[in-house]
Amino acid sequence: MQTLLVTGGAGFIGSNLVRMLAQQGQYRVVILDALTYAGNLENLEGVITGSAVKFVHGSITDVECLANLFATESVDSVLHLAAESHVDRSIASAAPFVETNITGTLRLLEAARAAGVKRFVHVSTDEVYGTLGPEDPAFTEDTPLQPNSPYSASKAGSDMLVRAFVHTHGMDCVITRCSNNYGPYQFPEKLIPLMTLNALEGKPLPVYGDGKQVRDWLHVEDHCRGIMLALEHGRAGEVYNFGGYGERYNIDIVMAILERTGADTSLIRYVTDRPGHDRRYAINPHKSSSELGWHPLHSVEEGLAATIDWYRSNSAWCENVRSGAYMEYYAKHYGTSL
Ligand code: NAD
Ligand code: TYD
């Protein structure tokens, strides 16, 4: 059985991916995660067995940790998701984004190359393409990179390093670029879980600017299937875009959340806009469809409703995230504090 290293496996997308892999049982999985504020082992409750799914606590910036891991785990391929991922945090402080997303990706590439891994899948974002006007065509894989936030600039930097390792060292890498994900286990600093939890708790919903920014929403399960298709069928050195045909105004998402939770529209607060706020993202996923046979299975309406219901019925997970109690999980289960 092949072994996959999943970096960032305790985060939102990583934990959904590991859960999917554990259910399918085709691969052995080793997770490497630094357990920053965004890493939550409760996302993987019942999934980490130690044999089929193993957890390693460590950072992709730690050269020694990476060398030990590759020396002991006979990793066949890498699915690289570990990152600092929130735009607002990158505006407040960009340095951790450069450290993890650029330096960390470089160190991971070097360690994976030294270990001779078969394939390295780098999970990136549509935000590297910059922003679109209302009538512009959706991003394709050939759209020039024009990142606007420190987050997207750091992701674009990591994409360029991956590209350079393909061209200079002949490494087998694939880059995926995905639009905004939503689904279970997303940290409530991002739009959909934040608005859902606030609505359920009767707290104000902060809408940036006029709320007419557009995001192209993709259910996390559709993204995870795309990552696996890129691993198994993508061509070396290629980029694959994943998007959900799910362009919506932010305010329409917020209104749908209010309707589903039964909360009142008076909770909406229009607040000062995010500096440099990208107006519109939209993905053209034609290449992924034609080459990988990938198609999103969830519609935004059905996926959003199911996601809101998931947060409503997983109140223990929500409470532990809101209170910070989730950070105690590692110490309780592994006997040492972080
Ligand atoms: P997340 O913030 O929920 O999770 C990130 C995970 O990485 C956490 O578990 C965190 O502990 C871990 N991590 C952070 N720094 C680390 C380090 N130095 N070493 C090891 N682990 C570290 O992020 P997410 O939303 O799950 O995103 C996963 C990947 O997908 C990221 O690369 C992100 O750029 C990309 N992406 C996300 C979206 C989205 O909508 N969420 C869309 C497109 C692409
Ligand atoms: P976010 O979930 O942070 O993802 P990204 O910035 O990577 O697209 O934000 C999605 C959209 O929602 C974005 O246009 C910013 C907006 N937004 C708000 O209006 N209010 C909020 O409190 C947050 C977190 C986001």
Side-chain angles (χ1 to χ4, degrees):
M1 189 182 271
Q2 296 211 358
T3 296
L4 301 181
L5 172 64
V6 180
T7 71
F12 162 50
I13 300 170
S15 63
N16 278 282
L17 179 63
V18 170
R19 193 172 289 277
M20 189 184 90
L21 289 171
Q23 275 161 8
Q24 292 172 349
Q26 273 176 272
Y27 294 95
R28 177 175 170 263
V29 176
V30 177
I31 298 165
L32 175 67
D33 199 295
L35 296 181
T36 67
Y37 78 93
N40 181 353
L41 286 176
E42 290 185 21
N43 295 354
L44 292 164
E45 184 72 57
V47 176
I48 298 172
T49 55
S51 48
V53 181
K54 178 175 174 177
F55 178 74
V56 177
H57 178 229
S59 173
I60 55 167
T61 60
D62 182 341
V63 173
E64 206 179 318
C65 164
L66 291 173
N68 284 340
L69 191 152
F70 281 105
T72 53
E73 296 296 345
S74 45
V75 171
D76 291 286
S77 295
V78 177
L79 304 177
H80 175 35
L81 291 91
E84 289 291 338
S85 70
H86 190 40
V87 173
D88 291 328
R89 285 179 189 258
S90 80
I91 294 168
S93 172
F97 288 73
V98 173
E99 179 65 9
T100 285
N101 299 358
I102 300 183
T103 305
T105 298
L106 173 61
R107 294 197 175 139
L108 185 65
L109 280 165
E110 284 172 335
R113 178 172 168 252
V117 301
K118 294 190 179 85
R119 172 155 279 190
F120 185 109
V121 178
H122 176 61
V123 176
S124 190
T125 167
D126 62 352
E127 301 192 27
V128 298
Y129 297 123
T131 188
L132 293 169
E135 306 302 331
D136 289 338
F139 301 129
T140 70
E141 290 78 0
D142 295 326
T143 302
L145 303 197
Q146 293 185 311
N148 291 321
S149 72
Y151 162 65
S152 53
S154 68
K155 291 295 290 188
S158 65
D159 289 18
M160 293 297 95
L161 284 169
V162 173
R163 179 187 156 87
F165 270 63
V166 171
H167 285 264
T168 304
H169 297 303
M171 239 178 115
D172 182 328
C173 303
V174 174
I175 296 175
T176 64
R177 297 197 181 120
C178 183
S179 56
N180 286 63
N181 283 211
Y182 66 95
Y185 302 107
Q186 188 168 29
F187 194 78
E189 62 183 354
K190 305 277 168 60
L191 182 77
I192 288 177
L194 178 78
M195 297 295 175
T196 302
L197 294 197
N198 283 11
L200 290 171
E201 293 169 16
K203 291 183 178 162
L205 310 188
V207 174
Y208 298 164
D210 63 1
K212 289 287 182 68
Q213 303 83 7
V214 174
R215 296 295 182 265
D216 182 354
W217 295 98
L218 180 71
H219 194 281
V220 65
E221 287 172 8
D222 285 325
H223 184 195
C224 292
R225 282 190 304 102
I227 293 169
M228 292 312 294
L229 286 169
L231 171 75
E232 290 165 350
H233 304 293
R235 285 184 293 135
E238 292 293 317
V239 176
Y240 295 94
N241 283 352
F242 299 115
Y245 302 103
E247 284 189 66
R248 298 288 184 280
Y249 289 119
N250 288 344
I251 191 63
D252 290 344
I253 294 286
V254 170
M255 293 304 289
I257 291 171
L258 286 172
E259 196 180 331
R260 186 83 184 172
T261 56
D264 198 83
T265 51
S266 63
L267 291 176
I268 293 175
R269 301 283 184 284
Y270 287 94
V271 300
T272 309
D273 207 353
R274 173 188 278 174
H277 199 169
D278 284 339
R279 196 70 181 163
R280 174 175 167 241
Y281 302 140
I283 281 266
N284 176 340
H286 179 74
K287 181 178 172 184
S288 295
S289 300
S290 58
E291 282 194 24
L292 306 177
W294 178 87
H295 301 280
L297 298 180
H298 293 275
S299 71
V300 178
E301 283 63 35
E302 163 268 311
L304 183 60
T307 298
I308 294 164
D309 294 351
W310 185 89
Y311 286 100
R312 199 188 339 232
S313 41
N314 285 272
S315 52
W317 182 91
C318 297
E319 274 162 32
N320 287 347
V321 168
R322 289 286 230 196
S323 68
Y326 73 102
M327 290 183 171
E328 308 299 321
Y329 190 101
Y330 185 79
K332 269 194 212 146
H333 290 75
Y334 290 82
T336 50
S337 53
L338 290 171

